[in-house]
Amino acid sequence: MASDETPTGILGAVSSAAQQATSVVSNALEAMHITASHDQDEKKSENGSKGEAESGNSKEQALRPEYKDADDLEEGEIRETNGKDEKPGPRTVFDDPASFNLKHPLYTPWTLHYGSQAVKSLPKTPAPASAHGGAAEKAAGWMEEIRKVATFESVEEFWGLYNNILPPSQLDKKADYYLMRDSVLPAWEDPANKDGGKWSVQFPRERTKERIDQMWLYTVLAAIGETFEVEAGVEKDTSITSEQSVMITGVILNARPNFFRLNIWTREAPQDPQEPSTLTERITKIGRHFKQDILGVPLDVKLTGGGGGNAGGFSTDVEFTSHKDGQKKGKDNSKKITL
């Protein structure tokens, strides 16, 4: 087994980097507090017989403004940091990438999990509160190969995590990323998932290896940015309520020897997708947004096949299936929504 497939390899690197990344804000704030290079006591203890050059340096240091804590600053005084005046008040990452102190919170926290056979020897991830009622026990076998990487609650923490984990194109050929909302388990048995379903699309691995990273990123951004329930090609409808924005429970990427697969899990699924309903339209809207605005394929163009009106390069169409129907043997196309 290659080194990057071992528990201390790929997951160890991901977890280590993620832990550092999700504390990017606090680290940046800590970096703002620069201590003085020498205090008065150290200066007194220096040898009095310094050379002329050292004496000159001491005089130069004495002329520099002394570092002050926030409590020592006089009213209206600005503390100097790294030789630059620090802007008072809230500062976003756009104002000051090195010492911002204001984050952009997401609507809900999100947690990234990593799945692989190589993680079985690592400690299990404790089940969150939402998994009570037997969900954790039912999903025990499934969760054997899944471990939590990190949780983020802001835009800045997301980018800190994303920029420090392996992109999908570099994952082991039997690995998974599960990005789940709040404390939802990456399992169908979780209360938030048991009545839901998933939109999915599959890509040939070698033909889409250069594009899968971008498609994964765009899918994740739509999920954490709460924009999936936006009609394809139309600006966001500000009338969408907060209750509507929590339909998406997770975004999953499966990396396999011959293909990649993207999945969008929903909290609900229509019992009969062929029967018009508000829920069916809501679920369909998510799929249309996924196909056109994320995958970049017009709604009237087929994903599979070649030539004519086919997009090509995909193994499957964009399809929605409920989790309950997905567990049944055999395929019933009447229970699917296909775009």
Side-chain angles (χ1 to χ4, degrees):
M1 182 179 291
S3 61
D4 61 350
E5 298 177 8
T6 63
T8 57
I10 185 169
L11 181 61
V14 167
S15 298
S16 176
Q19 289 171 2
Q20 297 176 13
T22 51
S23 63
V24 63
V25 175
S26 60
N27 287 344
L29 293 175
E30 289 177 6
M32 291 161 50
H33 300 287
I34 303 172
T35 58
S37 57
H38 298 284
D39 59 23
Q40 295 300 321
D41 292 337
E42 288 177 334
K43 289 180 180 179
K44 291 179 180 179
S45 64
E46 290 178 351
N47 193 320
S49 58
K50 296 286 186 180
E52 186 174 355
E54 291 179 334
S55 176
N57 290 337
S58 298
K59 292 178 180 179
E60 183 182 349
Q61 290 177 356
L63 294 174
R64 296 176 184 172
E66 181 183 355
Y67 175 85
K68 297 182 179 181
D69 290 324
D71 294 337
D72 298 329
L73 294 176
E74 297 178 7
E75 184 177 358
E77 185 177 1
I78 299 176
R79 185 178 65 198
E80 185 174 288
T81 305
N82 284 334
K84 297 180 179 179
D85 286 344
E86 185 179 283
K87 291 177 59 179
R91 298 178 305 283
T92 69
V93 69
F94 303 107
D95 298 322
D96 192 340
S99 58
F100 59 91
N101 61 7
L102 184 66
K103 297 185 290 184
H104 294 78
L106 300 174
Y107 181 71
T108 63
W110 291 79
T111 298
L112 179 67
H113 303 260
Y114 173 76
S116 171
Q117 290 183 342
V119 306
K120 283 186 175 181
S121 61
L122 297 177
K124 294 182 180 179
T125 300
S130 66
H132 290 288
E137 290 76 10
K138 292 179 181 178
W142 174 257
M143 296 297 293
E144 282 288 335
E145 299 180 3
I146 299 175
R147 297 293 182 271
K148 175 182 175 180
V149 177
T151 297
F152 57 89
E153 302 181 12
S154 69
V155 174
E156 288 79 4
E157 289 172 331
F158 162 71
W159 285 113
L161 172 63
Y162 179 82
N163 290 329
N164 285 280
I165 61 173
L166 290 177
S169 61
Q170 296 181 28
L171 286 178
D172 176 37
K173 293 184 177 181
K174 197 173 182 182
D176 308 282
Y177 275 153
Y178 301 88
L179 182 65
M180 308 304 296
R181 184 189 294 276
D182 207 355
S183 56
V184 177
L185 281 177
W188 293 348
E189 294 85 354
D190 189 276
N193 298 321
K194 64 184 183 67
D195 295 323
K198 66 175 181 179
W199 280 104
S200 65
V201 65
Q202 190 167 298
F203 321 86
R205 186 180 181 99
E206 294 307 318
R207 293 181 62 183
T208 56
K209 195 170 184 179
E210 294 182 356
R211 292 191 294 145
I212 188 61
D213 297 343
Q214 176 179 295
M215 288 187 284
W216 160 250
L217 173 60
Y218 287 1
T219 306
V220 168
L221 290 176
I224 68 175
E226 312 295 344
T227 62
F228 260 119
E229 293 200 58
V230 177
E231 189 61 78
V234 179
E235 291 185 5
K236 185 173 181 179
D237 183 0
T238 56
S239 67
I240 293 178
T241 64
S242 59
E243 289 76 13
Q244 288 178 307
S245 68
V246 297
M247 176 62 80
I248 306 298
T249 60
V251 176
I252 292 86
L253 180 128
N254 309 121
R256 296 295 182 267
N258 298 318
F259 65 86
F260 293 108
R261 182 168 53 231
L262 273 174
N263 309 274
I264 303 166
W265 285 14
T266 62
R267 190 177 299 273
E268 299 179 66
Q271 292 185 354
D272 184 0
Q274 308 307 318
E275 185 70 25
S277 68
T278 302
L279 178 57
T280 299
E281 175 58 27
R282 187 177 175 188
I283 294 296
T284 303
K285 181 181 287 187
I286 294 172
R288 290 196 293 256
H289 183 99
F290 182 42
K291 180 177 179 178
Q292 178 167 298
D293 294 347
I294 293 178
L295 302 180
V297 180
L299 297 177
D300 59 350
V301 173
K302 287 182 64 63
L303 294 180
T304 55
N310 298 303
F314 294 82
S315 302
T316 68
D317 289 311
V318 177
E319 299 177 337
F320 180 86
T321 308
S322 71
H323 292 320
K324 292 177 180 177
D325 288 329
Q327 297 178 64
K328 298 177 181 178
K329 293 183 178 180
K331 294 183 178 180
D332 185 354
N333 291 330
S334 68
K335 295 292 186 180
K336 291 184 177 181
I337 304 176
T338 303
L339 297 178

